[in-house]
Amino acid sequence: MLTDYHNHLENGTLSLDYLKKFTDAAARKGIESFGISEHAYHFYQTADILQNPWVNERRFYDMKDYVNIFHEAWSNDIDVKMSIEMDYTPGKHSEMAKFINGYSFDYVIGSIHWVGDFGIDLAEFRKEWDKRDLYDVYRKYFDQVVTLAQSNLFDIVGHLDLVKIFKYVPQDEEFLLEQYDRAANALAESKTCVEISTAGLRKPVGELYPDKRLLQKCYEKKIPIVLSSDAHFPEHVGADFEKAIDLAREVGYQSIMTFSKGERKEFPLG
């Protein structure tokens, strides 16, 4: 079984024709369980969850249009999962829960892109890395991983160590492993699966998410996995999955989780 649960339509149109470019690509790659998970901040219905100038300029979708695309796809016998990628926002648990529970998502991805006012993965904020305390950013990032897991709102945590995207990584391995331990311990107590994401291979860091040491801790804690490409264009669907599968097997994983309307089933990996 192969999954690709983290994909975005934002660079095209909210239309069946554009969605079908993604599902066709998934079919060609032999991906049997495929989903679209648009960024929640694009939707007017999330205005009470996350507000900042960068996000507000990009809030231009209505959820009814998004949901309608999936119903149109299903009526045309296109097997695609409906999901959302939500920016985990501390202090907004009730608002996030209300939004999530308002729609029949097959699964929900929770991701961390913001540490306070710092967009850690955005090119516009890249110079900020040289102005900030690296250890403080990492500590605050993994603080959010812990509370994301404790919220138990999400089925999958997206790109678990996205914070390394621009190759700013603490040299103190003891500190780093401490953060990994905190993440794995919290996730193990939640329903949240971890995605092995190939997106990092297309970013400056040039690595899979998560780091092998972090994934090893997740395996030891029996945290399930999914595979994701975080494709923002159809041609990236299923990209470099052989590397993701190799990493999963190296640390011991032999199975993968699938989702349908909130229900999960485990299948052999690959």
Side-chain angles (χ1 to χ4, degrees), residues 43-61:
F43 297 94
Y44 300 125
Q45 287 81 359
T46 63
D48 63 338
I49 297 170
L50 180 62
Q51 289 272 343
N52 65 51
W54 191 94
V55 162
N56 292 346
E57 287 180 5
R58 293 161 176 81
R59 183 172 282 121
F60 41 61
Y61 290 155

Side-chain angles (χ1 to χ4, degrees), residues 46-82:
T46 63
D48 63 338
I49 297 170
L50 180 62
Q51 289 272 343
N52 65 51
W54 191 94
V55 162
N56 292 346
E57 287 180 5
R58 293 161 176 81
R59 183 172 282 121
F60 41 61
Y61 290 155
D62 193 295
M63 277 298 296
K64 73 175 188 299
D65 298 322
Y66 188 61
V67 172
N68 284 344
I69 295 170
F70 290 94
H71 283 284
E72 192 178 352
W74 299 330
S75 68
N76 282 277
D77 295 320
I78 297 171
D79 186 9
V80 59
K81 309 300 180 188
M82 182 176 76

Side-chain angles (χ1 to χ4, degrees), residues 132-144:
R132 296 182 182 239
D133 183 309
L134 179 61
Y135 288 78
D136 183 58
V137 173
Y138 264 71
R139 191 177 292 106
K140 288 177 178 175
Y141 177 88
F142 280 98
D143 284 347
Q144 288 193 54

Side-chain angles (χ1 to χ4, degrees), residues 163-181:
V163 68
K164 71 183 180 184
I165 185 170
F166 292 123
K167 291 188 178 180
Y168 288 85
V169 180
Q171 293 300 302
D172 184 341
E173 186 173 30
E174 184 178 350
F175 170 83
L176 203 55
L177 294 178
E178 179 188 341
Q179 308 314 309
Y180 293 172
D181 275 330

Side-chain angles (χ1 to χ4, degrees), residues 207-225:
E207 296 177 4
L208 294 163
Y209 304 119
D211 180 276
K212 183 179 180 180
R213 295 165 293 178
L214 176 49
L215 189 64
Q216 185 73 56
K217 291 179 184 293
C218 291
Y219 172 72
E220 291 166 2
K221 295 284 183 180
K222 298 181 170 54
I223 300 164
I225 57 164

Side-chain angles (χ1 to χ4, degrees), residues 15-258:
S15 67
L16 183 62
D17 284 347
Y18 192 56
L19 182 148
K20 198 168 182 300
K21 292 180 187 294
F22 284 79
T23 56
D24 287 350
R28 288 193 297 272
K29 294 284 185 76
I31 294 164
E32 297 136 297
S33 194
F34 178 82
I36 298 291
S37 53
E38 197 49 76
H39 287 290
Y41 64 72
H42 283 312
F43 297 94
Y44 300 125
Q45 287 81 359
T46 63
D48 63 338
I49 297 170
L50 180 62
Q51 289 272 343
N52 65 51
W54 191 94
V55 162
N56 292 346
E57 287 180 5
R58 293 161 176 81
R59 183 172 282 121
F60 41 61
Y61 290 155
D62 193 295
M63 277 298 296
K64 73 175 188 299
D65 298 322
Y66 188 61
V67 172
N68 284 344
I69 295 170
F70 290 94
H71 283 284
E72 192 178 352
W74 299 330
S75 68
N76 282 277
D77 295 320
I78 297 171
D79 186 9
V80 59
K81 309 300 180 188
M82 182 176 76
S83 173
I84 206 84
E85 181 188 10
M86 172 155 281
D87 284 276
Y88 171 73
T89 309
K92 294 289 186 175
H93 286 198
S94 61
E95 291 88 346
M96 289 187 290
K98 182 180 178 182
F99 175 78
I100 290 166
N101 294 329
Y103 303 93
S104 298
F105 295 119
D106 288 290
Y107 58 92
V108 178
I109 298 173
S111 298
I112 298 158
H113 299 97
W114 296 92
V115 175
D117 62 352
F118 181 22
I120 59 166
D121 66 326
L122 298 174
E124 298 95 319
F125 288 80
R126 187 166 180 172
K127 290 181 180 177
E128 282 290 314
W129 281 101
D130 293 318
K131 303 175 186 175
R132 296 182 182 239
D133 183 309
L134 179 61
Y135 288 78
D136 183 58
V137 173
Y138 264 71
R139 191 177 292 106
K140 288 177 178 175
Y141 177 88
F142 280 98
D143 284 347
Q144 288 193 54
V145 172
V146 170
T147 53
L148 180 157
Q150 290 171 342
S151 77
N152 223 27
L153 289 169
F154 306 102
D155 299 293
I156 300 165
V157 58
H159 35 60
L160 181 54
D161 55 351
L162 178 70
V163 68
K164 71 183 180 184
I165 185 170
F166 292 123
K167 291 188 178 180
Y168 288 85
V169 180
Q171 293 300 302
D172 184 341
E173 186 173 30
E174 184 178 350
F175 170 83
L176 203 55
L177 294 178
E178 179 188 341
Q179 308 314 309
Y180 293 172
D181 275 330
R182 294 171 61 210
N185 289 338
L187 289 165
E189 296 296 320
S190 78
K191 70 176 183 180
T192 319
C193 299
V194 168
E195 68 174 19
I196 300 180
S197 171
T198 60
L201 296 169
R202 305 190 298 274
K203 303 299 182 181
V205 71
E207 296 177 4
L208 294 163
Y209 304 119
D211 180 276
K212 183 179 180 180
R213 295 165 293 178
L214 176 49
L215 189 64
Q216 185 73 56
K217 291 179 184 293
C218 291
Y219 172 72
E220 291 166 2
K221 295 284 183 180
K222 298 181 170 54
I223 300 164
I225 57 164
V226 300
L227 302 183
S228 293
S229 64
D230 200 353
H232 285 66
F233 300 93
E235 57 265 32
H236 289 154
V237 169
D240 298 305
F241 264 24
E242 68 283 354
K243 294 178 182 176
I245 294 167
D246 286 348
L247 176 64
R249 289 185 170 144
E250 279 175 33
V251 303
Y253 281 103
Q254 297 178 355
S255 64
I256 192 169
M257 198 62 74
T258 66

